[in-house]
Amino acid sequence: MTREQLEGLSLPKHIGIIMDGNGRWAKKRGLERTEGHKAGADVFRKICNYGADIGIECMTFYAFSTENWRRPPKEVAAIMKLFRDYLKEANEREKENEQRGLQFHLIGEKKGLPADIVRNLDTLERDSADKKVMRVNLAINYGGRDEILHSVKALAGMAKRGEIKPDAITEEDIASHLFTAGQPDPDLIIRPSGEYRLSNFMIWQAAYSEFWFSDILWPDFTTDDLDRAILDYCSRQRRFGGV
Ligand code: IPE
Ligand code: IPE
Ligand code: MG
């Protein structure tokens, strides 16, 4: 597969990726699950940079769900360490202005995340705010239902204060209080690992997304696979309920 095939096509503006299959990848190799997460983090780096190279405007990476706290504490701690390592590296690159024009955003609940991770996320968001090449949403401690709840609470507060009339609440009002406020919905959602579900990923925003599923485990996912998913997306006809 070559990048030339993508040229001239109308690429998805926003791609969401559910980075799944790390544990099974490790198990297949007789390794600890945490080794799978490490390998998955490296693939995240590659795919993120590649997305920026080919001109994708926004990518959302689902890294840790609000349900993933149910995992053994040792595994959760290992995943948090990988976030720490990545954020440290990204903040250093940012300082050296080598971050390839990536603008970072956390989508997810800060509450519940370790304080140092929140601090480093805040720094990265602030320092990368002027970058223009690609927006990167890091979905950490993210849940679609939690996000909608967040929006509903904000609107309920506004209604209580008389700032908005309940009858007048619109879909746009709900969307503008999600973590993704102001961003386009994902055009394409990719889920590897052979699971055919959203697992609470962008359930509001995915109303008209195209889906691309594959048996590939995330640590085996390559830039060719991303090309394939995009080419497949480009061959589809989106109707949004019209004809
Ligand atoms: C995805 O890989 C990473 C996270 C959910 C944090 P998994 O750890 O879910 O891998 P499998 O699904 O068990 O193979
Ligand atoms: C979804 O994967 C969450 C992330 C990839 C971060 P899970 O492995 O948690 O999903 P389920 O439990 O198989 O649905
Ligand atoms: Mg999984």
Side-chain angles (χ1 to χ4, degrees):
M1 186 92 44
T2 61
R3 259 169 79 171
E4 283 79 72
Q5 283 178 274
L6 299 177
E7 263 159 38
L9 293 174
S10 176
L11 301 180
K13 285 188 170 43
H14 181 177
I15 301 178
I17 304 188
I18 301 171
M19 303 187 288
D20 196 20
N22 296 348
R24 279 164 283 171
W25 181 91
K27 194 172 172 210
K28 253 174 61 183
R29 285 163 179 74
L31 302 168
E32 295 275 338
R33 292 178 57 84
T34 51
E35 292 301 316
H37 296 313
K38 251 187 237 165
D42 288 339
V43 171
F44 155 70
R45 287 171 173 84
K46 265 191 219 120
I47 296 298
C48 182
N49 288 335
Y50 183 70
D53 286 347
I54 61 175
I56 305 301
E57 290 174 24
C58 175
M59 289 187 88
T60 298
F61 293 90
Y62 199 13
F64 194 84
S65 74
T66 45
E67 289 75 37
N68 286 147
W69 297 106
R70 294 178 188 155
R71 296 185 178 206
K74 220 181 94 190
E75 178 170 345
V76 171
I79 294 170
M80 292 300 147
K81 177 169 185 311
L82 288 170
F83 293 151
R84 271 191 193 98
D85 293 347
Y86 179 72
L87 291 170
K88 184 165 174 272
E89 172 194 314
N91 274 321
E92 274 163 13
R93 289 228 181 114
E94 193 52 57
K95 248 184 257 148
E96 291 155 20
N97 216 9
E98 286 176 2
Q99 196 50 271
R100 295 164 165 253
L102 303 182
Q103 185 187 107
F104 289 91
H105 293 271
L106 168 71
I107 64 161
E109 287 290 350
K110 287 185 181 174
K111 214 172 121 213
L113 284 172
D116 65 307
I117 290 186
V118 173
R119 237 184 354 261
N120 283 324
L121 277 165
D122 285 344
T123 305
L124 187 60
E125 280 187 343
R126 192 192 59 224
D127 293 351
S128 69
D130 59 338
K131 299 297 191 305
K132 297 276 185 287
V133 176
M134 186 174 82
R135 176 177 179 126
V136 181
N137 291 322
L138 301 171
I140 299 177
N141 199 16
Y142 174 85
R145 288 187 174 178
D146 177 72
E147 183 184 35
I148 293 169
L149 180 63
H150 199 268
S151 174
V152 167
K153 281 183 181 168
L155 293 169
M158 288 168 73
K160 198 174 163 199
R161 293 189 298 273
E163 295 162 13
I164 194 170
K165 286 203 176 72
D167 278 353
I169 293 174
T170 62
E171 290 187 7
E172 287 70 29
D173 290 327
I174 296 177
S176 70
H177 289 87
L178 298 175
F179 298 124
T180 51
Q183 302 184 34
D185 288 338
D187 301 296
L188 170 63
I189 293 179
I190 295 174
R191 180 159 195 166
S193 93
E195 310 295 355
Y196 300 87
R197 54 178 173 257
L198 279 175
S199 302
N200 208 6
F201 181 64
M202 294 200 140
I203 53 175
W204 172 276
Q205 299 90 334
Y208 274 101
S209 300
E210 295 294 327
F211 293 94
W212 196 80
F213 295 103
S214 150
D215 287 342
I216 303 159
L217 301 172
W218 176 248
D220 289 327
F221 196 90
T222 65
T223 56
D224 277 354
D225 294 318
L226 185 64
D227 286 349
R228 262 188 282 278
I230 294 173
L231 282 173
D232 199 346
Y233 165 88
C234 291
S235 73
R236 300 184 192 177
Q237 201 199 348
R238 302 178 77 187
R239 280 186 288 272
F240 300 98
V243 287

